[in-house]
Amino acid sequence: TILFVLLSLSLQFAYGQGSRYSGTYTKSSPLKYSGKSNFTIEGVEITGNDQHCIILENCENVVIKNSKLMQTTSKRGVYLFKCKNITVTDCTLENLHSGLLAEHSQGIKFDRNDVLNIRGTSTGATNLGNMIQFTSVTGEGNSVSYNVCENLPNQSAPEDIINLYGSTGTSSSPLIVKGN
């Protein structure tokens, strides 16, 4: 009985990987925001083709959740430039050149997402592809956790799954990469 109780308690606190969302999506064209704050992008399905699915420039306090981003030839699912406190969670990203690129940003969380086929150079693009790339992402609250990434043979060509080029956290809030 004691073993059963301990096992039950440990299972209640166990965390799985990947998106927990199983609802529906509303089709949307690619989205671009500049200088906006305090909003949520939720429940959208975006086919990027030759564009980034979502671009945020100089934005802060944004949540992208429960969305599906797909089909780009040489672009990313999410592109962040000079942003602060952006969370991408419970999303599905499929057949993209790269999943997310965050440059010169702070407080970026890419947690609990499902990613299928980082296409990288397989579509003729010259730049390499990653599930997620942080380039000069600094400060507190940076996380890449509990994501699932699957790259199928002959359908993907990733450079890296997780690339943290020139990125750091702080001593009290280190950059976290776990459970992927």
Side-chain angles (χ1 to χ4, degrees), residues 18-114:
S19 174
R20 301 164 292 190
Y21 183 69
S22 61
T24 60
Y25 305 103
T26 301
K27 291 194 182 287
S28 171
S29 57
L31 302 172
K32 181 177 181 178
Y33 296 95
S34 183
K36 303 286 184 187
S37 299
N38 305 311
F39 65 98
T40 298
I41 298 169
E42 181 175 9
V44 295
E45 179 180 303
I46 300 172
T47 300
N49 295 320
D50 61 348
Q51 301 177 55
H52 300 297
C53 293
I54 298 174
I55 299 173
L56 302 179
E57 297 173 338
N58 297 302
C59 291
E60 64 181 78
N61 303 323
V62 179
V63 176
I64 301 168
K65 67 180 185 176
N66 303 338
S67 294
K68 186 173 187 177
L69 311 176
M70 56 191 201
Q71 303 294 61
T72 63
T73 52
S74 62
K75 303 296 182 179
R76 292 150 183 94
V78 179
Y79 176 63
L80 308 174
F81 183 73
K82 293 187 176 179
C83 290
K84 187 174 183 181
N85 300 327
I86 309 297
T87 298
V88 178
T89 188
D90 290 315
C91 292
T92 297
L93 297 90
E94 293 181 357
N95 297 310
L96 299 163
H97 173 270
S98 290
L100 179 143
L101 171 60
E103 296 183 293
H104 308 288
S105 296
Q106 299 176 2
I108 308 303
K109 291 179 178 63
F110 187 82
D111 297 342
R112 298 192 180 282
N113 299 292
D114 290 323

Side-chain angles (χ1 to χ4, degrees), residues 96-98 115 117-122 127-132 149-162:
L96 299 163
H97 173 270
S98 290
V115 181
N117 290 333
I118 299 303
R119 297 171 71 191
T121 56
S122 69
N127 52 344
L128 302 172
N130 309 281
M131 174 181 79
I132 182 165
C149 183
E150 182 177 16
N151 288 297
L152 300 175
N154 302 316
Q155 297 178 41
S156 59
E159 172 198 20
D160 299 318
I161 302 302
I162 300 170

Side-chain angles (χ1 to χ4, degrees), residues 128-141:
L128 302 172
N130 309 281
M131 174 181 79
I132 182 165
Q133 181 173 358
F134 283 179
T135 300
S136 300
V137 171
T138 60
E140 298 179 348

